[in-house]
Amino acid sequence: INQNASFDVTSQARIAVDEIVNQVRESQAVANTCGSCGVSTGLNSLVLQLWQLDTSGDPDNGALDYVTYSVSNNQLVQSIYPAATSTRAAVSNKKITNNISALVFTYEPPVPPANYTDATQVTVSVTATQTTTAGAKTIASTQTGKAALRNKE
């Protein structure tokens, strides 16, 4: 059982890191916040700007869509806030993975407080933790990933 729990927490942390790293690569910029989302970029949350999608589903540099990542009730959640003219679907608190005990973002170049728009790279560190029922052993796994914003202007 402990081996299965160990595999599970490692998988949960890896899924979270891979999801965020892939989205960072697609993003146009890190945003300090977005008007409608109520989330601000910081040590434990991330707001990304993406080009809106046109009617063909292709990126269009008109308006911007926003994607947020944060932890709520030990779950990594993603929300998508599309621009009014975007064809991207809105998503509210989509659960990406469970058992998340820590989510930490760092930015390069190092960011002065409350100004994340100059970031060109984001590093994410995710810790997943699970307590086994047999023996009440706590198992934790931390995974880390780094991505450059490929579409940064």
Side-chain angles (χ1 to χ4, degrees), residues 40-136:
S40 297
T41 293
L43 185 63
N44 307 110
S45 56
L46 177 65
V47 179
L48 296 169
Q49 291 177 339
L50 288 86
W51 297 118
Q52 72 175 355
L53 297 180
D54 65 17
T55 55
S56 301
D58 295 323
D60 177 350
N61 66 356
L64 296 169
D65 296 341
Y66 292 89
V67 176
T68 66
Y69 290 96
S70 59
V71 172
S72 176
N73 297 320
N74 289 27
Q75 297 177 338
L76 175 67
V77 293
Q78 174 199 58
S79 294
I80 300 174
Y81 302 87
T85 54
S86 179
T87 59
R88 190 181 315 268
V91 174
S92 180
N93 293 322
K94 175 185 174 187
K95 181 184 79 166
I96 303 299
T97 190
N98 294 313
N99 301 320
I100 304 302
S101 56
L103 175 66
V104 178
F105 295 100
T106 55
Y107 306 90
E108 293 177 28
V111 177
N115 184 17
Y116 296 92
T117 57
D118 293 332
T120 58
Q121 289 188 19
V122 177
T123 300
V124 58
S125 176
V126 176
T127 301
T129 306
Q130 183 175 347
T131 301
T132 63
T133 53

